[in-house]
Amino acid sequence: MTTPFEKALFLIDAAHSLDPKKVTPPNQDEIPYELLYANKMTKYLSLRSPSASDSLRLAVRAQHLKRWEVPRAEFPATKIGYHSWRTHLARRQADIVAGMCVEAGYEAEFAERVAALVRKEGLRGGEDEEVQVLEDVACLVFLEDQLEEFQSGYEEEKVIGILQRTWVKMSERGRELALGMELKEKSRELVKRALADA
């Protein structure tokens, strides 16, 4: 670890490694879930934007940073409660990764840029292309990593609605990558129905 980037990446992954939830992917050893999630985020970033800046690479890696420390159940079981939880997580994760960047040797300005990306500032207006890339990556990982779980927890129409909202969040390039993903048959069927009904 000789560069600030390497040091920051180490600190982020060390935090992910503390996730008490462990999973065993096919043909792999057991791994903390959030570290697996971070690996998938990096994988899709390399497909979506191979020449991504270091700030974006770290922001992508820091998604879900210490997320398990703030359970969803700590917020009301309502739509407003869900959005409050997500907003709280984004701000908290941004603060944590900014501190890690400074600890790794980055200037405060760089650390704040990483934090702003984690908070997804500028996403709604489309004024920050890097934030859109991060959103694409998060949507792609959702499709690969969480769509199956959603199918068992919600009615099909609810899942289709979630897929439609996910599709709207993505850029054209993100959608191209999504359509090229190898999903299980049921997931492919739901995506097809979501796009047909959109």
Side-chain angles (χ1 to χ4, degrees), residues 1 3-15 54 58 61-62 65 97 100-106 110 114:
M1 294 184 298
T3 68
F5 179 83
E6 291 170 332
K7 292 174 184 175
L9 191 64
F10 175 82
L11 291 170
I12 292 167
D13 282 354
D54 284 355
L58 291 173
R61 196 76 178 185
L65 190 57
V97 75
M100 289 177 172
C101 286
V102 171
E103 183 181 344
Y106 280 115
F110 179 92
V114 176

Side-chain angles (χ1 to χ4, degrees), residues 102-185:
V102 171
E103 183 181 344
Y106 280 115
E107 297 292 333
E109 183 179 359
F110 179 92
E112 176 50 34
R113 173 58 180 164
V114 176
L117 288 168
V118 170
R119 291 190 297 266
K120 296 184 181 178
E121 293 179 4
L123 176 62
R124 290 189 183 277
E127 58 264 15
D128 192 325
E129 173 61 23
E130 286 195 315
V131 177
Q132 181 59 62
V133 172
L134 190 152
E135 183 72 5
D136 283 350
V137 170
C139 290
L140 290 165
V141 175
F142 164 76
L143 291 172
E144 177 186 309
D145 191 63
Q146 296 166 315
L147 182 53
E148 293 291 324
E149 181 180 340
F150 269 76
Q151 290 174 41
S152 62
Y154 296 99
E155 297 291 331
E156 280 193 4
E157 292 308 313
K158 175 78 170 179
V159 176
I160 287 170
I162 291 169
L163 285 168
Q164 289 171 338
R165 289 192 294 276
T166 299
W167 200 253
V168 169
K169 294 178 184 178
M170 301 173 76
S171 69
E172 285 304 314
R173 176 58 181 148
R175 293 171 183 174
E176 287 175 12
L177 290 169
L179 290 172
M181 294 176 70
E182 293 185 11
L183 300 174
K184 291 185 178 178
E185 184 176 350

Side-chain angles (χ1 to χ4, degrees), residues 44-53 56-57 133 137 173 177:
Y44 279 107
L45 177 62
S46 70
L47 294 172
R48 172 61 177 82
S49 186
S51 58
S53 66
L56 180 55
R57 291 165 66 196
V133 172
V137 170
R173 176 58 181 148
L177 290 169

